[in-house]
Amino acid sequence: MSVDQGKGERSRREVLASAAILTLAVAWPARAAGRRHVVVIDKMAFGAPPSGVKVGDTITWTNRDIVRHTATARNGAFNLDLPPGASASAVMSRAGAVRYYCRYHPAMRGEISVGV
């Protein structure tokens, strides 16, 4: 085999490999952006936790009370300060139960189940 044939064979392999990678990239389903969920704080209580939360979803806490609250994860995943009328968000990065509470009002508690 001549040197030129070796180059041609290598180029053909490179083209085929590139085509295969491109085909896989196009065919691979793109992960949809996470969904958004809301937890409303009202009358000194967290509202019902959203259902169907998955890793990558965003939870937004909205404070409708006239006092400051937090949404603080017991596992350290988030610590959101929520003055009256404010909203703040956290992206759920791990599956499992996420317990949270208000640092100013420790009796205020909630839990979100995050699926895969």
Side-chain angles (χ1 to χ4, degrees), residues 87-112:
S87 294
S89 301
V91 176
M92 300 297 105
S93 59
R94 283 188 240 163
V98 180
R99 293 185 206 173
Y100 57 93
Y101 68 104
C102 174
R103 284 183 294 134
Y104 304 120
H105 312 99
M108 290 176 57
R109 291 175 264 188
E111 183 175 317
I112 296 175

Side-chain angles (χ1 to χ4, degrees), residues 35-112:
R35 293 178 29 210
R36 300 187 72 76
H37 307 272
V38 176
V39 175
V40 175
I41 303 169
D42 194 22
K43 299 182 180 112
M44 299 296 289
F46 288 109
S51 60
V53 176
K54 298 199 181 296
V55 171
D57 286 1
T58 300
I59 310 294
T60 299
W61 283 265
T62 300
N63 182 3
R64 290 199 181 144
D65 275 340
I66 59 170
V67 297
R68 181 178 226 108
H69 293 293
T70 71
T72 303
R74 296 246 180 231
N75 67 3
F78 53 85
N79 183 20
L80 308 173
D81 184 41
L82 297 157
S87 294
S89 301
V91 176
M92 300 297 105
S93 59
R94 283 188 240 163
V98 180
R99 293 185 206 173
Y100 57 93
Y101 68 104
C102 174
R103 284 183 294 134
Y104 304 120
H105 312 99
M108 290 176 57
R109 291 175 264 188
E111 183 175 317
I112 296 175

Side-chain angles (χ1 to χ4, degrees), residues 1-53:
M1 163 169 44
S2 73
V3 173
D4 288 337
Q5 283 179 322
K7 286 182 182 177
E9 184 64 31
R10 185 175 48 203
S11 293
R12 189 173 325 143
R13 275 186 279 160
E14 289 171 354
V15 168
L16 290 173
S18 296
I21 290 170
L22 185 60
T23 301
L24 284 174
V26 170
W28 198 273
R31 176 165 162 71
R35 293 178 29 210
R36 300 187 72 76
H37 307 272
V38 176
V39 175
V40 175
I41 303 169
D42 194 22
K43 299 182 180 112
M44 299 296 289
F46 288 109
S51 60
V53 176

